[in-house]
Amino acid sequence: MMAGSVSIAGTGERIGRGLPIEAAVHEVVRDALAGAGLSLSAIDMVVTVGSDVLDGGMVGTRSGIAGAYGRELLTVPSSAGHAFATAVSMLDSGQAGTVLLAGWGEGTKFAALDGRIIQADPFYARPLGADASAIAALQAQRLLADGRMSLERLTEYGAAMRMRADLADDKTAGMQEWLAPNWSDGACALVLAAGSGAVRVVDFGTAFRPYCPDPADLDPAVWVREAVERIGHTFDEDLAAVEAGGPSALCEVAALAPILDSAGWRPLDPRVNATGGGAMAFFGPATGLRHIIAVADALADTSGSGIAIDLAGPIGQATTVVALQGAKQ
Amino acid sequence: MSGRRIATVLGVAQVPMRTRLSQYTYADLLGVVAARALEDAKVDAADVDGLILAMAPTTTLGIDEPHFWATADLPGMKGFLGRVHTLASSGLVAFRLACAHVAAKRAKRVLVVAADLADESPDLIAAIGMFANPFAERHYPQSAAAAHAFEMTAYMARNALTERDMAHVIVKNRANGIANEYAQLRAPVTVDEVVDSPVLSWPIKRADASPRTSGAAAVLVGPADEKGVAATGFGNYANHPVSGARMVPGLDESYFDASDLRQAAARAYAMAGIERPHDEIDLAEVYASFGIIELLSIEGLGLTNGGVAARMIRDGEFHRDARLPVNASGGATCGTPISATGLIRVIEATLQLRGTAGARQIKHEPRRAAVSAIGGLFQLQEVGVLEA
């Protein structure tokens, strides 16, 4: 396992519907810098994550608001986990001393339009493939048929997350609570720095499957185990907070299984997904930053450890596991 | 003096660039260059534990999020580390990220792949124009040719240069492209032919511009202690996306004087221990989709002073047989698949430093190369330093 030499120094987040996204990006960056006790001039590098499609633009659209002008800029739109990994490796390899990691997404755009048309084929404006809910349903049916998941557990988890989520009043047109992604707008920022801080980055691990994986390989638990193996750590000591953010609650509860089984926790433990999970406020590939922040906040002023699982992609197959630890002695 | 080795280029591969590569799908292209890069490195696929896709913009491909459907069974796929999107600098930035993950010991061998099929869209310029707002289907009002015409006009006026003076960089590159079996344009042109080619947006003519290109490239990156060409420095500089904000006299003229690139180069050179780039760099591969960009890049990289690159090229400097060749491959004006073009700069520099560039090999045994790429309309500058 890598000895983590990177710490999270400051965080900021805004989640909501109809969020003025430019203002939100500006505010979360300001909050993260204030939390770190730094001014923008102290930042060496900016890493951004945001869907090309959700953004409706390209690299520069919001990078300036995120503080990129005059600094180094990398844009990694595939997932929050990948962007976080980018920031950590840039620091660990000595290519930067301070990194501002910012992500955003206007998920409510997807709620208003057929996501397949936006996602798939702008030249022909023709839907391509199943939409997100249909893909999640296929994944659910497979896990239920294989006996890897019980319907009761899914339903219970989905209902609990909905109650925890800030957006609990939003209806999902009668879809199962464990299936439907709840589109939201959001912006998040973290300041990461080389050296010690209140919350240390222990390590990260990634796992990935293309679209669509083999029918026998649809279980996020398998992907999480694979990512954890890359870290080489069992997380069974001093575990204080666990977050999982994915496109559906089904995906999250399945992904949580290896961590919770190892720790002996129930999915409804209050230390699990205090945010309500990613599916309750999903704003595209940047969503996972919110869960890294939630774990970091929970670990501040503690010596405990925590796990954030980012599940990007239609069925969460771009998996990143981030291990954090509070630095209090 | 050599810089600290960050990571090693273990293997490289590209395919001949063409307007149309109808024998390949996008996924095929990635697979072909991935396999060839591993063959070049003599590394088994099972020994690759990380993968990065450089892909930007997805609009030209017509399908979003290609990493989910085009990476199946690529080496390192299960340890996918992300898709990089910084427009035409994506390939070089992805290479830098691979070096960072290896240097941080997060992965041992990371494969970087990139491809473009530019003929997938019936109208590439219109597709790129839809960057701005696909929901409203509103086109971005400024084409690349029009945007860089501002630069060229200013450069000519400030330095008292004619259109003929400006044409020599294209003549040089097209002559270099003849020896590059991967180049899309492999026929020489004369100054007259450049000047007389159709005007796209004055003073930029068709011959000043890169062609519309399909192509692919891959680079396998490994630990610094392995044998091979090493990355020893990186630097990057981001500025405002609106080019007009960088044309303000006395405040920010980086759109005209390449001062942003100079900042990126300073960062890369500091990391690589370079103090006098003109004396310490043996060759440069710069991303320049228009002739004017190459002139500004030569100056921004500190290979000469500002405003003199065009005349120096006219007089024989920066040619392949010169002391400090720039774009000995022919550069992007002989072919530039947008997502892969930054990687191709790395590949061409690597081949030169290895001494295996074939007919386009520089004769003076180069030891150190600078590579550069630009994202957006001069918005994002990326510079790398490679050493034999």
Side-chain angles (χ1 to χ4, degrees), chain B residues 155 159 257-258 261-262 294-310:
Chain B
Y155 190 90
N159 301 302
D257 62 14
L261 179 58
R262 197 167 296 119
E294 179 166 328
L295 302 177
L296 289 169
S297 296
I298 288 170
E299 295 165 9
L301 288 170
L303 306 181
T304 187
N305 297 325
V308 300

Side-chain angles (χ1 to χ4, degrees), chain A residues 228-310:
Chain A
V228 168
E229 278 173 18
R230 286 173 170 260
I231 300 175
H233 190 57
T234 57
F235 308 113
D236 51 0
E237 294 176 2
D238 301 323
L239 195 59
V242 175
E243 285 275 335
S248 69
L250 154 82
C251 191
E252 289 166 11
V253 71
L256 284 164
I259 306 293
L260 303 188
D261 290 349
S262 174
W265 289 9
R266 297 276 302 154
L268 302 187
D269 189 296
R271 291 168 293 186
V272 179
N273 269 359
T275 56
M280 293 298 119
F282 189 70
F283 50 96
T287 305
L289 293 185
R290 185 184 182 210
H291 305 287
I292 296 171
I293 289 171
V295 173
D297 288 348
L299 299 181
D301 300 322
T302 79
S303 59
S305 62
I307 308 291
I309 304 171
D310 178 34

Side-chain angles (χ1 to χ4, degrees), chain B residues 27-40:
Chain B
D28 289 340
L29 267 176
L30 295 179
V32 164
V33 290
R36 289 180 186 168
L38 267 62
E39 189 180 319
D40 182 52

